[in-house]
Amino acid sequence: MPKVLEYTPAWLSRGEGSQAGFDLFRQDGKGQTDSDGSRRTIAHRETEVFVAMGKEVRWADLRSLKDAHESKDGHQGNGYRILKTPAAFDIVTLSVSPDGSLIAIVTAHTCHVGILPTSAHLRSGETSPLRLRAFQVGPTAHVLEQAPITTALWHPLSKPGVSSLLTVTKDACVRLWELDIDHRHSFDEPSIAVDLKKLGNATSTATDLSASKYGARQGFSPDEVEMEVASACFGGSGAADEHAWSGMTLWLAMTEGDVYALCPFLPSQFTLQESALPGLTTAVVAKTRALANDAEATESERNKADSQTKWLANLDEQEPTTLIDDTTFERNDPYSRPTKFSSIPKLQGPFRLSPEPDFGEITDIHVVAPLIDQSELYEQFGDDDEVENEGLSVSIVCLATNTGKAHICLDLDGVEAEWLPAKRSRSFALDDVEDDKDLLLLETIDLVAADADSAHCAFTASPNDRYEVFVTSPAGVHTLDFNPWISGLEAELTYFHDEGCALRLENLLDSTSTMVDHPLALSSPPTTTATALLDPSLGFFLLTSTPSGPTAATLDLPHTPQNPYSPILLTLPAPTPREPYQPPATFYNPSNLPQLLKSNPAALKQRLQFTPSTLQTLTEAHRVLSHETHNLALSAADLFRRIERLRSELIDQVSSVRSLSIRMDTLTGADDSADFSRSIGPAEDGGDGIVEDAKVVGSERIEQRVLAAVGANRGLEERVEEVRRKLGRLGGGGGKLTRREELFGAEVKRLDGMVGGARRDDSIEGKGGDGAVTPPVKPMALLKLPNSPGELAEREDAADSSHDVATRDDSQSLTARSTAIEDLRDRLDREVEDALQRLQRASDDSGKASKSGMASEWKKRETARVMALMEREEALIEAVTGRLGALGGL
């Protein structure tokens, strides 16, 4: 969704140097001044705008107004020119033809088509009014005695040189005018005129379907209320990526809520894209084959497909001459409407909204055409390249109401060509009674507060994106963006399997919705529907007008930069634009008091007397003055409120700037209270190489810090490079190792053997039957006790031939020696306990028999011997443990 870059530019505001742009939209009081969003009084041809004011049309070039304002000499250019029109009433609608040669000027009951002059008349320097050459459309159809005109549209498939204008009146009469400026009679009689009330009840083309003519007697019809037309639009613009039936479909919305469609609604000469006819033929042929094999297909469906096949075959038999558009370079093929089929198609509808919303009267309708699957079309021409379809394959129907709501609906079934039968069938079948077609209500958007009494809303298509639309309401201009849910919904619609579809769609609708923005918030209702322009010099320009003057907004075009480090992404975000203050027209409107006094000159010339006439004059003067002063007071109060709000916002901005300034002073060193004694020493002293000088402040300090950081970074890079070179020489250089390096490697291997022992993958000698590791060194190998059980066991093991050289090598392992010491300690503890127990038993046995001193001396010697052995064991264990700890620290 585009964001607002700038509100009403200076060259459209009131003031010196921009008065020409403001006067283009200023109301002079001669025309209609009420605010009605249904009026479309601004039309454009590229950057040229046509503004209807009363009965005249003002013509100007926005690009010239902008360039004149930006010029250094202050020259405002030619401003605008007035086009004199033959309109007898205030103009309510202006519409420029697609080729830019004609303009439709529509009042409440009449319609004129004028020939637009070239742009050279604006640059000629003349400022005098220019009389527009115009012709009245329907001198007998569109008159005061007939129903008012609700919609005037140019057909998107008109043949170049013969523009086709569509007019729809409130009484549901649709007329198509094929205008040729060289033949005046083309403005008098329409090529197609149909009354929708008659068409809705017709059963064959033999019925009189013509619209009512001037002077003809009209009877009562029960459909007059329900068939009151609110607005109409075409389902597409005839683009190459749209479905071909869309540009031929006319959608009509009734005020009571019904929606109808006419397809195909075409002039006698029309154009199609080069790929439209092949695409339609392929789709219709496939549909016909499917219905032929479907036993549940009704007869009306088969007749409908057969009629479409014959209609397309008639077009295929024609040999059109391809026309190339000079501006878009698109290839179009002109065709003639088949004469074997009626020019008036069948009225399809009413379309029933499901679920039915609670809305008031419909005010406008807008339809987004479905996109075709271009991959299938390219496969027919042998192009295997993948074609991305970023769009929706069903139509989006938008309905606006007078309650300020917009209903977003989907046409899942689609609208195709359908005609009435040539004659009414005498037999009646059940499939002749068809159910109403449905529109799936996807979302309802509230644009205006609920307490508003009436809020007329109107749509404006976006020139930038087909899935973006502007809505003009009394609150301003809103933007509706459908892109958030387009891709997800299309993925579900094109998925082949239906399992879990309901759950996925429910999650999709709950998680995503239409994005709504309010680019133009207006305090007073706009006087016309907004207009959107897209031009390189003006940008994405949204324009409307209010009683105070023009109101515009320049929107940002969404783009995706190729470079992620583009300057556009690295720059600071732009500030939020503010809408400039526009002085209300109350300050500039002349007072009505002089005009009142001129109407009674005798009251001014005669002597003031207290008479009823004088009282009446004073009463009327007081009424005028009270109304004018009240309006002035309201406008002045609004100005003072704006000034107070601006003052408070300015205080907040000053506070924010002050806090930012304090932070910047702290960063740059300009703040005296900042602590700059934390100078970091160079890298040689253990710092990171950044040296700060407390005497340097401002930008010089920042530059100094940056240079110091760059220097420190360069030093680190040099150190890393030096280490990398050393590693290269060591690992992959190919040179011989030095003597020290060889000794170091041998020492590492020796320590590895001492700590971890010899590693043999195929040796299992150190494991017992139960998986326990047997120590490679016997406990008595470290400590020999004479005449002890351990010594005897050692003698027996020495005689065994199972201890080979590998076992002696494993005995040098520190891990094995540590394990052996632990086992020796446990064995010695057990032997000491056994010795003490034997001594205790011997002492008890000999104490009673003999208490001589010899037994006591022998006991003391044995105890001392045992204690010496234990001390020696503890000393040995402590020494080994200390050595192991020292080796572990390496």
Side-chain angles (χ1 to χ4, degrees), residues 570-582:
L570 298 179
T571 54
L572 294 176
T576 303
R578 297 176 57 90
E579 185 176 0
Y581 171 71
Q582 295 288 347

PDB file of all heavy atoms in Angstrom, residues 570-582:
ATOM      1  N   LEU A 570      19.364   2.557   2.761  1.00  0.00           N
ATOM      2  CA  LEU A 570      20.284   2.981   3.798  1.00  0.00           C
ATOM      3  C   LEU A 570      19.987   4.384   4.306  1.00  0.00           C
ATOM      4  O   LEU A 570      20.509   4.787   5.335  1.00  0.00           O
ATOM      5  CB  LEU A 570      21.720   2.915   3.269  1.00  0.00           C
ATOM      6  CG  LEU A 570      22.198   1.515   2.849  1.00  0.00           C
ATOM      7  CD1 LEU A 570      23.621   1.588   2.326  1.00  0.00           C
ATOM      8  CD2 LEU A 570      22.111   0.536   3.996  1.00  0.00           C
ATOM      9  N   THR A 571      19.185   5.155   3.582  1.00  0.00           N
ATOM     10  CA  THR A 571      18.885   6.508   4.016  1.00  0.00           C
ATOM     11  C   THR A 571      17.906   6.494   5.183  1.00  0.00           C
ATOM     12  O   THR A 571      17.199   5.511   5.429  1.00  0.00           O
ATOM     13  CB  THR A 571      18.274   7.311   2.859  1.00  0.00           C
ATOM     14  OG1 THR A 571      17.140   6.593   2.346  1.00  0.00           O
ATOM     15  CG2 THR A 571      19.288   7.499   1.744  1.00  0.00           C
ATOM     16  N   LEU A 572      17.865   7.601   5.896  1.00  0.00           N
ATOM     17  CA  LEU A 572      16.947   7.728   7.026  1.00  0.00           C
ATOM     18  C   LEU A 572      15.514   7.815   6.523  1.00  0.00           C
ATOM     19  O   LEU A 572      15.253   8.330   5.428  1.00  0.00           O
ATOM     20  CB  LEU A 572      17.291   8.985   7.836  1.00  0.00           C
ATOM     21  CG  LEU A 572      18.642   8.959   8.545  1.00  0.00           C
ATOM     22  CD1 LEU A 572      18.886  10.297   9.217  1.00  0.00           C
ATOM     23  CD2 LEU A 572      18.723   7.827   9.558  1.00  0.00           C
ATOM     24  N   PRO A 573      14.549   7.313   7.278  1.00  0.00           N
ATOM     25  CA  PRO A 573      13.159   7.391   6.831  1.00  0.00           C
ATOM     26  C   PRO A 573      12.686   8.834   6.750  1.00  0.00           C
ATOM     27  O   PRO A 573      13.078   9.691   7.549  1.00  0.00           O
ATOM     28  CB  PRO A 573      12.401   6.606   7.920  1.00  0.00           C
ATOM     29  CG  PRO A 573      13.293   6.635   9.112  1.00  0.00           C
ATOM     30  CD  PRO A 573      14.697   6.647   8.584  1.00  0.00           C
ATOM     31  N   ALA A 574      11.845   9.078   5.755  1.00  0.00           N
ATOM     32  CA  ALA A 574      11.331  10.428   5.555  1.00  0.00           C
ATOM     33  C   ALA A 574      10.366  10.791   6.682  1.00  0.00           C
ATOM     34  O   ALA A 574       9.677   9.926   7.230  1.00  0.00           O
ATOM     35  CB  ALA A 574      10.625  10.518   4.204  1.00  0.00           C
ATOM     36  N   PRO A 575      10.314  12.058   7.058  1.00  0.00           N
ATOM     37  CA  PRO A 575       9.384  12.454   8.122  1.00  0.00           C
ATOM     38  C   PRO A 575       7.942  12.312   7.676  1.00  0.00           C
ATOM     39  O   PRO A 575       7.634  12.318   6.491  1.00  0.00           O
ATOM     40  CB  PRO A 575       9.760  13.928   8.365  1.00  0.00           C
ATOM     41  CG  PRO A 575      10.386  14.382   7.084  1.00  0.00           C
ATOM     42  CD  PRO A 575      11.098  13.184   6.536  1.00  0.00           C
ATOM     43  N   THR A 576       7.078  12.178   8.655  1.00  0.00           N
ATOM     44  CA  THR A 576       5.660  12.039   8.360  1.00  0.00           C
ATOM     45  C   THR A 576       5.114  13.335   7.787  1.00  0.00           C
ATOM     46  O   THR A 576       5.253  14.399   8.401  1.00  0.00           O
ATOM     47  CB  THR A 576       4.890  11.678   9.637  1.00  0.00           C
ATOM     48  OG1 THR A 576       5.441  10.481  10.185  1.00  0.00           O
ATOM     49  CG2 THR A 576       3.417  11.474   9.337  1.00  0.00           C
ATOM     50  N   PRO A 577       4.540  13.290   6.589  1.00  0.00           N
ATOM     51  CA  PRO A 577       4.056  14.543   5.993  1.00  0.00           C
ATOM     52  C   PRO A 577       2.865  15.086   6.766  1.00  0.00           C
ATOM     53  O   PRO A 577       2.075  14.337   7.357  1.00  0.00           O
ATOM     54  CB  PRO A 577       3.676  14.130   4.572  1.00  0.00           C
ATOM     55  CG  PRO A 577       3.373  12.670   4.668  1.00  0.00           C
ATOM     56  CD  PRO A 577       4.281  12.129   5.729  1.00  0.00           C
ATOM     57  N   ARG A 578       2.733  16.398   6.743  1.00  0.00           N
ATOM     58  CA  ARG A 578       1.626  17.080   7.402  1.00  0.00           C
ATOM     59  C   ARG A 578       0.830  17.832   6.350  1.00  0.00           C
ATOM     60  O   ARG A 578       1.397  18.469   5.462  1.00  0.00           O
ATOM     61  CB  ARG A 578       2.138  18.061   8.461  1.00  0.00           C
ATOM     62  CG  ARG A 578       2.898  17.410   9.607  1.00  0.00           C
ATOM     63  CD  ARG A 578       3.443  18.466  10.539  1.00  0.00           C
ATOM     64  NE  ARG A 578       2.404  19.315  11.056  1.00  0.00           N
ATOM     65  CZ  ARG A 578       1.738  19.073  12.183  1.00  0.00           C
ATOM     66  NH1 ARG A 578       2.032  18.011  12.898  1.00  0.00           N
ATOM     67  NH2 ARG A 578       0.793  19.875  12.600  1.00  0.00           N
ATOM     68  N   GLU A 579      -0.467  17.738   6.489  1.00  0.00           N
ATOM     69  CA  GLU A 579      -1.318  18.447   5.544  1.00  0.00           C
ATOM     70  C   GLU A 579      -1.280  19.938   5.849  1.00  0.00           C
ATOM     71  O   GLU A 579      -1.523  20.363   6.988  1.00  0.00           O
ATOM     72  CB  GLU A 579      -2.751  17.935   5.647  1.00  0.00           C
ATOM     73  CG  GLU A 579      -3.678  18.533   4.608  1.00  0.00           C
ATOM     74  CD  GLU A 579      -5.067  17.925   4.674  1.00  0.00           C
ATOM     75  OE1 GLU A 579      -5.277  17.045   5.525  1.00  0.00           O
ATOM     76  OE2 GLU A 579      -5.921  18.336   3.874  1.00  0.00           O
ATOM     77  N   PRO A 580      -0.946  20.772   4.878  1.00  0.00           N
ATOM     78  CA  PRO A 580      -0.854  22.214   5.147  1.00  0.00           C
ATOM     79  C   PRO A 580      -2.225  22.797   5.454  1.00  0.00           C
ATOM     80  O   PRO A 580      -3.265  22.279   5.023  1.00  0.00           O
ATOM     81  CB  PRO A 580      -0.270  22.773   3.853  1.00  0.00           C
ATOM     82  CG  PRO A 580      -0.644  21.786   2.801  1.00  0.00           C
ATOM     83  CD  PRO A 580      -0.643  20.443   3.476  1.00  0.00           C
ATOM     84  N   TYR A 581      -2.187  23.876   6.178  1.00  0.00           N
ATOM     85  CA  TYR A 581      -3.436  24.539   6.551  1.00  0.00           C
ATOM     86  C   TYR A 581      -3.991  25.299   5.356  1.00  0.00           C
ATOM     87  O   TYR A 581      -3.290  26.085   4.699  1.00  0.00           O
ATOM     88  CB  TYR A 581      -3.191  25.504   7.710  1.00  0.00           C
ATOM     89  CG  TYR A 581      -4.377  26.383   8.027  1.00  0.00           C
ATOM     90  CD1 TYR A 581      -5.525  25.862   8.608  1.00  0.00           C
ATOM     91  CD2 TYR A 581      -4.349  27.754   7.737  1.00  0.00           C
ATOM     92  CE1 TYR A 581      -6.612  26.653   8.892  1.00  0.00           C
ATOM     93  CE2 TYR A 581      -5.432  28.559   8.019  1.00  0.00           C
ATOM     94  CZ  TYR A 581      -6.564  28.007   8.603  1.00  0.00           C
ATOM     95  OH  TYR A 581      -7.650  28.813   8.884  1.00  0.00           O
ATOM     96  N   GLN A 582      -5.238  25.034   5.061  1.00  0.00           N
ATOM     97  CA  GLN A 582      -5.928  25.723   3.983  1.00  0.00           C
ATOM     98  C   GLN A 582      -6.966  26.669   4.590  1.00  0.00           C
ATOM     99  O   GLN A 582      -7.904  26.217   5.254  1.00  0.00           O
ATOM    100  CB  GLN A 582      -6.630  24.719   3.056  1.00  0.00           C
ATOM    101  CG  GLN A 582      -5.687  23.808   2.300  1.00  0.00           C
ATOM    102  CD  GLN A 582      -4.934  24.535   1.202  1.00  0.00           C
ATOM    103  OE1 GLN A 582      -5.276  25.668   0.843  1.00  0.00           O
ATOM    104  NE2 GLN A 582      -3.896  23.915   0.685  1.00  0.00           N
TER     105      GLN A 582
END
